[in-house]
Amino acid sequence: MAETAKPEDVKLSPAELKKRAKAEKQARRAAQKEQEGGKPPQQRGPQKQAESDNKKIITAQQDSLPIRRRGSQAGGGRPQVKKDNKNVELFGHLNTQVRRQSNEGVSKDVHPSILALGAQISSYEICGSSARCVSMLLAFKDTIQQYSTPSGTSLARHMTSHHLSPQIDYLKSCRPISEAMGNAIRWLKKLIVEIDPSYPEQEAKDYLCSSIDKFIEERITVTDQAIGDSACKQIKNGSVVLTYGKSAIVEKTILTAHKNGTSFRVLVTDSRPLFEGKVLATSLMNAGLSVTYYPFSGITRAMTEATIVLLGAHSMLSNGRLQSRIGTASVAMAAHKVDVPVIVLCESVKFSGKVALDSIVSNELAPAEELILPARSTGATTSTAQKEDDSTKQQSRSLSDWRDIPNLRILNLMYDVTPAEYITMVICEYGSLPSTSVPVVHRLVNEGMGI
């Protein structure tokens, strides 16, 4: 009779052998787990018993701690509080550069005259596009005279990149340069590059300094005089001239018209944080003019009296728009509504090839703290009731702790953009022209300067 084959004698395929081995391994693990689960804690392995005891101790310690300390820093103390972001997201691209507050870490190549100028423009001691441009060029004269060309190179190749650039970078860190400053820098760099390498160094430096003096005289000093003489003809007897803030060229125009014997009144509107209009109003009153000072909130009321509006400029853009101190666009719009002519006085050195439709893409963001009103001190003779009233007003007006107030953000923009349709005329050294002709003049000026 044939013998019955035993299960172990049957030849299995590799796949079946692998499946059987896997099943046996799972069975062994299940049996071992069941065996350990049935043992009392003391019969378990020493290492597993120690781990189990440590977990119980840690859990007990955590349960005994106050709830407020959970999730705190490793070193203990107060829990971390997420600080509120005080930057306005729409203008976040303007926060990339923070104004320099000290001279710490300044390059040794920066000249002392540039260091002093940086502090003055950052603190608004020197304010205004033209004034900053003139001060910068005069400081450059000091740096040029103390410059020494290293051996193995020439003044034309070395001065611009190794000597002038650190000075410019430092001024930019104190406050963004104006359009007039940028045009003057491009002109000076081109002048330096064109110097013949064989020219004696001292004579080359004297040539650069004399060219700077000529630039200031022709492009700013004489230009301002020409604009003032032309613009004062727009002021007639009985006129009421309205201006905003303080513009050096507007001030010169008003004083010229007054000197010529024209009888007129001046309305000065002003706003925070610089209150430049107070300086202008004081200057005009000292000259014998009749001046009325209005806060920014009184622009509509002042416009009912005005017969002409004179405005200064930070720059004139190629699409005919005016970039000037923030609030200028509101003044021009109010004048446009009541058909009061708006005349912009601007030197061609402030003309720009840039185009802007709003004040968002390109602007200067000043520190928010400049808008915070200082605390008022009460006099010794003030009554108790008055002191309490002043204290209440001060608490409502002061925002010294604004960074600790949730969801509060303060935006301090320096400039705004006035549409071309609000501008009646632009007066520059080339005459009176519509704002749409600015790019033509800008191109002709650049061709004449060789930029």
Side-chain angles (χ1 to χ4, degrees), residues 97-98 121 167-177 185:
Q97 180 179 337
V98 180
I121 64 176
Q167 324 298 330
I168 298 172
D169 292 339
Y170 177 78
L171 292 178
K172 288 181 179 179
S173 68
C174 296
R175 188 179 171 188
I177 61 175
I185 289 172

Side-chain angles (χ1 to χ4, degrees), residues 241-255 266-270 274-289 291-293 310-312 325:
V241 180
L242 185 144
T243 186
Y244 175 63
K246 180 182 183 299
S247 169
I249 193 169
V250 170
E251 179 181 8
K252 183 175 294 186
T253 299
I254 294 175
L255 292 176
V266 180
L267 308 179
V268 178
T269 55
D270 202 10
L274 299 181
F275 289 111
E276 296 174 287
K278 292 183 179 180
V279 180
L280 175 63
T282 303
S283 173
L284 297 181
M285 286 188 296
N286 292 335
L289 280 141
V291 180
T292 304
Y293 180 84
L310 297 182
L311 298 175
R325 180 187 174 186

Side-chain angles (χ1 to χ4, degrees), residues 106-409:
V106 177
S107 172
K108 62 180 181 180
D109 297 328
V110 180
H111 193 273
S113 297
I114 300 295
L115 293 175
L117 176 60
Q120 290 173 324
I121 64 176
S122 179
S123 61
Y124 304 111
E125 185 177 344
I126 297 178
C127 195
S129 182
S130 297
R132 289 162 59 194
C133 180
V134 172
S135 300
M136 178 194 70
L137 291 175
L138 294 177
F140 282 166
K141 286 179 59 179
D142 296 338
T143 65
I144 290 173
Q145 286 295 347
Q146 294 190 9
Y147 168 79
S148 179
T149 307
S151 59
T153 185
S154 63
L155 181 145
R157 296 180 58 185
H158 184 269
M159 177 181 283
T160 300
S161 57
H162 294 83
H163 182 71
L164 199 61
S165 292
Q167 324 298 330
I168 298 172
D169 292 339
Y170 177 78
L171 292 178
K172 288 181 179 179
S173 68
C174 296
R175 188 179 171 188
I177 61 175
S178 65
E179 190 65 34
M181 295 169 70
N183 288 332
I185 289 172
R186 286 187 287 272
W187 164 81
L188 181 59
K189 285 184 175 180
K190 185 177 184 298
L191 192 67
I192 294 173
V193 171
E194 292 177 346
I195 294 178
D196 191 343
S198 62
Y199 210 59
E201 179 178 318
Q202 187 57 47
E203 294 184 12
K205 293 192 294 185
D206 292 341
Y207 166 71
L208 290 175
C209 291
S210 63
S211 298
I212 289 175
D213 290 334
K214 185 178 180 181
F215 181 92
I216 295 174
E217 179 71 18
E218 294 181 353
R219 300 302 307 277
I220 298 177
T221 305
V222 175
T223 292
D224 286 356
Q225 186 63 45
I227 294 174
D229 292 341
S230 176
C232 71
K233 298 177 182 178
Q234 302 295 327
I235 303 175
K236 311 297 183 180
N237 284 320
S239 295
V240 180
V241 180
L242 185 144
T243 186
Y244 175 63
K246 180 182 183 299
S247 169
I249 193 169
V250 170
E251 179 181 8
K252 183 175 294 186
T253 299
I254 294 175
L255 292 176
T256 301
H258 178 67
K259 185 179 179 181
N260 293 340
T262 307
S263 177
F264 61 97
R265 292 192 300 120
V266 180
L267 308 179
V268 178
T269 55
D270 202 10
S271 68
R272 296 163 60 192
L274 299 181
F275 289 111
E276 296 174 287
K278 292 183 179 180
V279 180
L280 175 63
T282 303
S283 173
L284 297 181
M285 286 188 296
N286 292 335
L289 280 141
S290 174
V291 180
T292 304
Y293 180 84
Y294 282 92
F296 189 78
S297 57
I299 288 177
T300 304
R301 172 64 182 85
M303 203 62 67
T304 60
E305 302 181 49
T307 60
I308 186 174
V309 176
L310 297 182
L311 298 175
H314 176 72
S315 67
M316 284 299 303
L317 305 175
S318 281
N319 56 347
R321 300 199 171 201
L322 165 67
Q323 187 179 38
S324 190
R325 180 187 174 186
I326 190 162
T328 303
S330 298
V331 175
M333 180 177 64
H336 180 74
K337 287 185 176 180
V338 294
D339 293 328
V340 176
V342 177
I343 300 178
V344 178
L345 312 182
C346 182
E347 305 92 330
S348 64
V349 73
K350 297 180 184 178
F351 286 6
S352 172
K354 302 175 184 176
V355 173
L357 300 178
D358 51 44
S359 308
I360 300 175
V361 176
S362 178
N363 211 319
E364 180 181 349
L365 190 61
E369 286 73 16
E370 294 178 0
L371 289 176
I372 305 301
L373 290 174
R376 296 187 303 170
S377 59
T378 56
T381 58
T382 307
S383 63
T384 305
Q386 183 65 31
K387 287 183 179 180
E388 292 178 355
D389 183 60
D390 289 345
S391 176
T392 303
K393 291 181 180 179
Q394 179 177 329
Q395 290 176 3
S396 63
R397 295 175 58 193
S398 177
L399 291 174
S400 57
D401 58 344
W402 71 276
R403 292 189 178 276
D404 298 328
I405 302 176
N407 302 322
L408 174 63
R409 293 167 179 82

